Amino acid sequence: MKILIADSSIFILDRLENLLLETFSNAAVLRAGSYKDAMMLFKEQLPGIVLLDVSLPRSLSLLGEIKKRQSKTCVIVLSIQIDLKIHEKYSLRGADFFLDKYYEFEKIPG
């Protein structure tokens, strides 16, 4: 299973990668800290799951591109605070799930 983490925080990238590898020892975890890197990795690797932080610049555009290229990819949107406006915008672009990084961080592997 290939999982792409798109987040501009090195700390979050490290934490999520460790959390995922603890849960899925056979997972290939891909890391991107920018839109450009995330798009490149997505095109090359075609991960089945993408963890996308809303604070990543151009994250909404990235979500749209991912769903346009591979609609079956599961995109989990991460945010410190997911409000109705964010939920609506990202849902319209095809987000599959939403998780609050502060309260639901440990739920991410599930």
Side-chain angles (χ1 to χ4, degrees), residues 23-107:
T23 307
F24 309 106
S25 59
N26 64 340
V29 178
L30 312 165
R31 299 165 45 130
S34 69
Y35 171 90
K36 182 181 174 183
D37 291 343
M39 252 344 283
M40 180 188 69
L41 284 169
F42 184 79
K43 289 177 187 177
E44 290 175 359
Q45 301 292 322
L46 295 174
I49 299 171
V50 176
L51 301 175
L52 176 62
D53 182 31
V54 297
S55 65
L56 182 79
R58 300 181 60 199
S59 62
L60 193 57
S61 297
L62 180 60
L63 172 60
E65 283 296 315
I66 288 170
K67 287 300 188 168
K68 185 169 72 174
R69 293 173 186 273
Q70 194 79 10
S71 65
K72 292 184 181 185
T73 299
C74 177
V75 179
I76 302 168
V77 174
L78 306 174
S79 179
I80 293 296
Q81 180 182 11
I82 296 180
D83 61 25
L84 186 56
K85 191 174 185 178
I86 290 171
H87 196 280
E88 284 180 22
K89 286 194 314 189
Y90 283 79
S91 289
L92 288 172
R93 292 283 177 105
D96 297 291
F97 300 100
F98 296 85
L99 289 175
D100 184 305
K101 286 197 294 189
Y102 186 76
Y103 293 106
E104 300 177 305
F105 200 84
E106 300 300 321
K107 291 182 182 180

